[in-house]
């Protein structure tokens, strides 16, 4: 049994990131009342260090500073040191990230902040080399001892700034967002499109699936050829680039360059869940076989490498293995020649094992420059021949890579990120009809409902080793409600819709501010936070309020709850001005705006073949349709619509339904007119 010189209070945690630091000489404590109480008792500043398991520079700073006994001695003498996994406590991360952004105009992880014993921040930054870190800690501790009143006054001003940042996006005046406003916003947005490589201009490049999902829908409904072309260019470049794992599927978090070549190699569940949705919906629209390949391989990777025995999905894979970033994912030419054999020249041309794919230190990143049909034609091959070869190559690559030392796995299971995976799998089922995709989604939903929800219907945020912990945040409720609605639409199982509605009622109790008509991120009753933040900006994950407002729109129609519809519109109008001025940060709000501003249909399928006909209909790209399949009259939209031994399809709009039809193609005609 391995003996450690040091063990701190993180040893009792379940987060892999916190456990990584459990044997540091720093006297780390987890975030909570005990740490805050000790800081007040000893009159010490809090040193709050925030990161996550797949964060490369977090590992670097740990090795340089937190494993160094002389550095640890300074930290322990002057501070109560707290380690936070940002994925476990996004509410804590939001507060101190806001503080750092207010004071330095930048942010990132590792995030390091110093706060008064009550949690009010006085200083913050990101990564620091060892010498700089020591100097900063000594200066701050000395200043606090000599100038406690000035430190207190500064903390008060900074805390006020954090509180103000929570209300800046919210307008007291209603700002309607109609088609003209959306068109203007998209026009502004298009100026930043990179029409050669896709994504935003420059580097690094983040994939931003929320944005691409909206632009795909906008292009479809408004026949916007610029947005349509931009989405197609982006999806193809990402799928052919090094940011996509060409060997086994799945995307890295972002590209460090402007052409999607060199990824930051960590793989996150939240990215891949959303990208499955994006490529599935894009396939429905364009029928591009490349999109089918991406979805199939990414789901294959999720199932093989990220699925727990309990049917939950793990959080992330590290960028590093054996202490080296990307080592698990890159290749040397000689090794590939031996592995592939006589087909190596063709393989090298296909995967750019040349100057294009060269990275550093004799290593290559596998990427592609052409789609399969173009490559096959160039080499005088039938597409089916190429496909067979590529499948053989992928098997060899996978088998070879499986012999390597694997990167670290963050095996905690988060409700919000799993919900994104459920929605992605449901979208894949709509697009491709593969029953395994729906089975995976339903198994995951059952796991969340069984292991991450209490008997009282309260969600927990995180699960590991049989323990569910941390009261759920708005993102957990919003994203799981969204997933449950999607599951209802494809399966017709009323239990999903009932659970979605019950969780919505709990969300109102826990998070809603009736005066502001908006939801807080953290549940009521939290005593370990200086501020309850309000999240409205859509980023790499859609904001919890934008998801919640879209949920209210859907549930308002499905359950005929006009108060939900009114609130969804009120929430949109509170952020409306910001939505129009900064569209790339409000893409999911624009999705809601389009629901209200343009044609939107509720498609009711009533009868014994409801889910079968629904499956046929939902294989098409119909982003402005909400589906309600069923064979009982338990739901408002199904009342008095059932006919014996017959399945009817009703296309409804604004509480008015057209005469029913019996064939999916007839319904398609009605929603496309």
């Amino acid at each position: 049994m391995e003996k450690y010189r040091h063990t701190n209070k993180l040893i009792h945690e379940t987060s892999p990131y916190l456990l990584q630091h459990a044997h540091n000489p720093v006297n780390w404590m987890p975030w909570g009342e005990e740490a805050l109480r000790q800081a007040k008792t000893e009159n010490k500043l809090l040193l709050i260090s925030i990161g996550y398991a797949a964060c490369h520079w977090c590992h670097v700073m740990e090795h340089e500073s937190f494993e160094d006994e002389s550095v640890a001695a300074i930290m322990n003498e002057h501070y109560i040191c707290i380690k936070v996994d940002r994925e476990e406590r996004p509410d804590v991360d939001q507060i101190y990230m806001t503080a750092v952004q207010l004071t330095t105009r930048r942010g990132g992880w590792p995030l390091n902040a110093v706060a008064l014993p009550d949690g009010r921040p006085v200083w913050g930054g990101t990564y620091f080399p060892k010498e700089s870190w020591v100097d900063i800690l000594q200066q701050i501790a000395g200043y606090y001892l000599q100038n406690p009143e000035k430190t207190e006054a500064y903390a008060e001003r900074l805390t006020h700034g954090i509180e103000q940042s929570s209300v800046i996006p919210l307008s007291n005046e209603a700002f309607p967002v109609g088609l003209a406003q959306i068109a203007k916003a998209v026009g502004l947005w298009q100026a930043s499109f990179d029409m050669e490589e896709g994504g935003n201009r420059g580097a690094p490049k983040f994939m931003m699936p929320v944005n691409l999902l909206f632009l795909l829908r906008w292009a479809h409904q408004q026949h916007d050829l610029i947005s349509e072309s931009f989405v197609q260019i982006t999806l193809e470049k990402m799928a052919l680039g090094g940011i996509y794992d060409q060997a086994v599927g799945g995307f890295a978090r972002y590209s460090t360059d402007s052409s999607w070549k060199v990824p930051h190699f960590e793989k996150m569940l939240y990215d891949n869940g959303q990208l499955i949705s994006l490529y599935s919906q894009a396939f429905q629209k364009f029928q591009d076989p490349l999109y089918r390949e991406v979805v199939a391989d990414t789901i294959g990777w999720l199932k093989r490498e990220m699925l727990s025995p309990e049917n939950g999905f793990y959080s992330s894979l590290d960028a590093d293995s054996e202490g080296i970033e990307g080592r698990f994912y890159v290749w040397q030419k000689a090794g590939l020649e031996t592995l592939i054999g006589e087909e190596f020249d063709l393989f090298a041309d296909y995967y750019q094992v040349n100057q294009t794919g060269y990275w550093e230190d004799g290593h290559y990143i596998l990427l592609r420059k052409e789609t399969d049909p173009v490559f096959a034609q160039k080499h005088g091959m039938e597409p089916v021949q190429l496909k067979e070869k590529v499948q053989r190559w992928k098997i060899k690559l996978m088998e070879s890579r499986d012999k390597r030392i694997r990167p670290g796995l963050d095996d905690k299971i988060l409700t919000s990120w799993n919900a994104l995976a459920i929605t992605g799998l449901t979208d894949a089922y709509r697009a491709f009809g593969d029953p395994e995709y729906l089975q995976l989604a339903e198994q995951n939903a059952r796991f969340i409902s069984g292991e991450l929800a209490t008997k009282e219907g309260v969600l927990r945020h995180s699960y590991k080793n049989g323990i569910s912990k941390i009261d759920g945040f708005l993102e957990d409720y919003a994203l799981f409600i969204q997933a449950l609605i999607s599951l209802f639409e494809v399966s017709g199982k009323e239990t999903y819709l009932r659970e979605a509605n019950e969780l919505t009622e709990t969300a109102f109790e826990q998070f809603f501010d009736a005066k502001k008509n908006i939801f807080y991120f953290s549940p009521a009753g939290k005593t370990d936070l200086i501020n309850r933040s309000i999240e409205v900006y859509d980023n790499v994950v859609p904001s919890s309020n934008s998801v919640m407002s879209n949920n209210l729109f859907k549930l308002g129609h499905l359950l005929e709850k006009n108060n939900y519809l009114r609130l969804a519109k009120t929430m949109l109008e509170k952020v409306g001005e910001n939505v129009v001025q900064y569209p790339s940060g409000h893409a999911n709000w624009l999705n809601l705006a389009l629901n209200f501003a343009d044609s939107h249909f509720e498609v009711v399928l009533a009868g014994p073949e409801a889910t079968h006909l629904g499956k046929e209909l939902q294989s098409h790209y119909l982003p402005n349709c909400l589906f309600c399949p069923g064979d009982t009259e338990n739901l408002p939209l199904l009342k008095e619509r059932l006919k014996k031994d017959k399945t009817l399809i009703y296309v409804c709009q604004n509480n008015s339904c057209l005469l029913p039809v019996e064939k999916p193609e007839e319904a398609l005609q009605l929603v496309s007119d």
Side-chain angles (χ1 to χ4, degrees):
M1 186 173 176
E2 192 171 359
K3 296 245 175 128
Y4 295 97
R5 289 190 63 190
H6 305 280
T7 301
N8 55 52
K9 291 194 174 183
L10 300 183
I11 197 67
H12 304 297
E13 296 299 302
T14 58
S15 157
Y17 176 68
L18 298 185
L19 289 168
Q20 283 170 11
H21 296 77
H23 298 292
N24 292 168
V26 178
N27 295 332
W28 293 118
M29 299 179 73
W31 179 270
E33 297 286 0
E34 183 186 351
L36 298 174
R37 193 163 50 244
Q38 186 172 330
K40 289 172 185 173
T41 301
E42 298 181 17
N43 192 30
K44 281 186 177 181
L45 292 169
L46 298 170
L47 195 162
I48 303 152
S49 182
I50 304 172
Y52 57 100
C55 166
H56 172 72
W57 288 102
C58 299
H59 300 324
V60 173
M61 192 163 180
E62 179 192 13
H63 179 65
E64 290 178 349
S65 294
F66 304 151
E67 292 176 352
D68 186 294
E69 299 210 7
S70 62
V71 178
I74 294 166
M75 293 170 66
N76 294 336
E77 180 183 355
H78 298 292
Y79 300 91
I80 298 300
C81 301
I82 298 176
K83 251 294 163 199
V84 177
D85 180 341
R86 68 168 293 260
E87 296 166 1
E88 274 198 338
R89 291 302 302 262
D91 54 341
V92 175
D93 179 58
Q94 278 183 4
I95 288 169
Y96 296 102
M97 179 62 78
T98 302
V100 170
Q101 289 171 334
L102 285 172
T103 53
T104 69
R105 298 288 182 261
R106 59 190 293 269
W109 299 277
L111 185 73
N112 293 289
V114 172
L116 295 177
D118 61 7
R120 288 178 293 165
V122 296
W123 172 89
T126 52
Y127 163 79
F128 294 93
K130 174 180 166 182
E131 292 76 16
S132 303
W133 181 240
V134 169
D135 287 346
I136 288 165
L137 293 182
Q138 290 175 326
Q139 285 177 31
I140 294 171
Y143 185 87
Y144 178 59
L145 280 174
Q146 294 167 17
N147 304 280
E149 295 86 3
K150 288 183 180 178
T151 310
E152 170 91 19
Y154 181 74
E156 186 63 35
R157 290 196 300 274
L158 185 51
T159 301
H160 180 68
I162 294 169
E163 290 167 351
Q164 288 301 109
S165 75
S166 295
V167 298
I168 287 166
L170 303 178
S171 171
N172 291 323
E173 299 294 322
F175 189 96
V177 186
L179 269 182
Q181 286 79 20
I182 302 172
K184 182 182 177 184
V186 173
L188 284 170
W189 194 353
Q190 288 174 342
S192 68
F193 289 0
D194 182 341
M195 297 302 290
E196 289 188 14
E197 295 295 337
N200 278 7
R201 292 201 187 101
K205 278 192 188 290
F206 286 85
M207 295 169 288
M208 305 304 289
V210 189
N211 293 4
L212 293 167
L213 281 163
F214 167 73
L215 289 169
L216 176 66
R217 178 182 174 186
W218 171 260
H220 174 77
Q221 288 183 221
Q222 300 300 314
H223 311 292
D224 180 342
L225 296 181
I226 294 174
S227 294
E228 182 176 295
S229 178
F230 170 70
V231 170
Q232 287 182 285
I233 290 165
T234 304
L235 293 183
E236 182 173 300
K237 293 285 187 176
M238 282 170 20
L240 299 181
I243 195 167
Y244 181 68
D245 189 339
Q246 301 292 338
V248 303
F251 289 85
R253 193 162 74 94
Y254 64 89
S255 170
T256 61
D257 59 278
S258 61
S259 60
W260 308 107
K261 175 185 172 179
V262 181
H264 193 33
F265 290 91
E266 65 209 37
K267 282 179 167 180
M268 315 298 293
L269 178 62
Y270 63 77
D271 283 321
N272 285 282
Q274 292 178 92
L275 289 162
I276 291 168
S277 284
L278 175 59
Y279 278 91
S280 296
Q281 290 186 32
F283 179 83
Q284 290 175 306
K285 168 72 175 166
F286 301 114
Q287 299 295 302
D288 189 328
L290 175 63
Y291 304 164
R292 179 193 289 272
E293 173 196 324
V294 166
V295 171
D297 285 354
T298 300
I299 292 175
W301 164 73
L302 274 182
K303 187 179 176 186
R304 190 173 55 254
E305 298 188 32
M306 302 297 282
L307 186 63
S308 78
E310 309 99 320
N311 291 312
F313 290 107
Y314 300 132
S315 293
S316 65
L317 282 172
D318 207 327
D320 300 6
S321 55
E322 301 178 76
I324 300 172
E325 184 180 6
R327 181 162 191 157
F328 184 73
Y329 297 100
V330 296
W331 304 84
Q332 291 188 316
K333 190 172 184 179
L336 287 170
E337 286 176 326
T338 303
L339 183 67
I340 303 301
E342 62 183 23
E343 289 186 327
F344 176 74
D345 287 345
L346 186 67
F347 173 95
D349 196 18
Y350 185 81
Y351 282 123
Q352 300 296 300
V353 186
N354 51 35
Q355 199 54 42
T356 301
Y358 184 77
W359 182 35
E360 60 185 26
D361 301 328
H363 290 102
Y364 293 81
I365 295 169
L366 300 187
L367 55 96
R368 293 149 66 187
K369 284 294 176 186
E370 297 159 327
T371 60
D372 282 3
V374 173
F375 186 89
Q377 185 179 32
K378 185 174 108 176
H379 287 269
M381 302 167 62
E382 291 296 321
V384 68
Q385 283 180 286
L386 177 62
K387 187 173 183 179
E388 289 169 358
K389 289 180 185 294
V390 171
Q391 285 305 112
R392 287 200 303 273
W393 296 340
K394 283 183 175 180
I395 290 168
K396 288 183 177 182
L397 291 168
M398 195 184 303
E399 289 174 347
S400 174
R401 193 191 272 176
D402 281 346
K403 296 171 185 171
R404 299 178 179 181
I405 295 173
R406 298 185 62 78
L409 172 70
D410 186 333
D411 59 352
K412 68 177 179 292
I413 297 167
L414 299 177
T415 298
S416 51
W417 295 6
N418 274 255
L420 287 169
I422 294 170
T423 301
L425 290 164
T426 308
D427 283 340
Y429 175 71
R430 292 186 212 242
F432 306 107
D434 188 331
E436 184 188 21
Y437 298 165
L438 180 58
Q439 182 185 2
L440 274 171
E442 292 198 290
Q443 286 174 347
N444 191 219
R446 281 196 295 274
F447 165 75
I448 292 176
S449 297
E451 299 297 334
L452 280 149
T454 67
K455 290 177 183 176
E456 295 76 31
V458 174
L459 284 178
R460 297 277 187 256
H461 178 63
S462 180
Y463 174 96
K464 190 186 170 193
N465 297 340
I467 300 168
S468 61
K469 56 189 284 192
I470 305 169
D471 288 343
F473 304 103
L474 182 62
E475 68 177 13
D476 297 302
Y477 285 83
L479 291 168
F480 191 41
I481 291 163
Q482 174 182 267
L484 290 166
I485 294 169
S486 289
L487 281 172
F488 165 73
E489 287 187 88
V490 299
S491 72
K493 295 176 183 175
E494 294 170 20
T495 50
Y496 292 131
L497 196 56
R498 279 201 296 273
E499 188 175 0
N501 188 51
E502 287 164 5
L503 287 171
T504 300
E505 290 172 355
T506 304
F508 272 105
E509 294 166 9
Q510 296 268 342
F511 303 95
F512 189 60
D513 186 324
K515 290 180 181 175
K516 293 179 181 174
N517 278 319
I518 204 88
F519 293 84
Y520 287 107
F521 185 79
S522 302
K526 281 278 183 187
T527 58
D528 59 354
L529 299 173
I530 61 168
N531 179 56
R532 289 177 80 196
S533 60
I534 296 170
E535 184 187 52
V536 296
Y537 289 121
D538 298 322
N539 206 302
V540 289
V541 174
S543 70
S544 48
N545 267 297
S546 74
V547 177
M548 202 66 207
S549 59
N550 275 278
N551 291 340
L552 291 171
F553 179 88
K554 293 176 183 177
L555 291 172
H557 282 293
L558 289 169
L559 301 173
E560 291 189 347
K561 292 196 170 192
N562 288 327
N563 57 323
Y564 282 8
L565 291 168
R566 285 193 298 271
L567 178 57
K569 194 164 192 178
T570 299
M571 290 171 70
L572 171 64
E573 290 176 348
K574 286 188 81 68
V575 296
E577 190 171 1
N578 289 279
V579 168
V580 174
Q581 290 177 352
Y582 180 34
S584 65
H586 296 87
N588 201 39
W589 290 105
L590 285 167
N591 185 64
L592 177 65
L594 203 50
N595 285 347
F596 284 115
D598 201 13
S599 297
H600 189 276
F601 302 96
E602 297 79 55
V603 181
V604 182
L605 302 107
E609 294 294 308
T611 52
H612 174 72
L613 296 182
K615 183 180 179 183
E616 192 174 333
L617 260 177
Q618 292 180 70
S619 67
H620 297 271
Y621 184 57
L622 301 170
N624 58 336
C625 291
L626 181 64
F627 292 88
C628 182
D631 57 4
T632 70
E633 293 194 350
N634 295 342
L635 297 174
L637 290 178
L638 291 167
K639 277 195 174 15
E640 299 178 10
R641 292 206 166 120
L642 290 168
K643 298 287 185 282
K644 193 174 182 182
D645 302 326
K646 187 183 284 190
T647 299
L648 298 175
I649 306 171
Y650 295 83
V651 174
C652 309
Q653 194 176 18
N654 298 326
N655 300 318
S656 176
C657 298
L658 299 171
L659 289 173
V661 295
E662 295 185 48
K663 296 178 180 176
E665 55 268 29
E666 294 174 304
L668 278 174
Q669 191 64 46
L670 293 174
V671 298
S672 59
D673 282 348

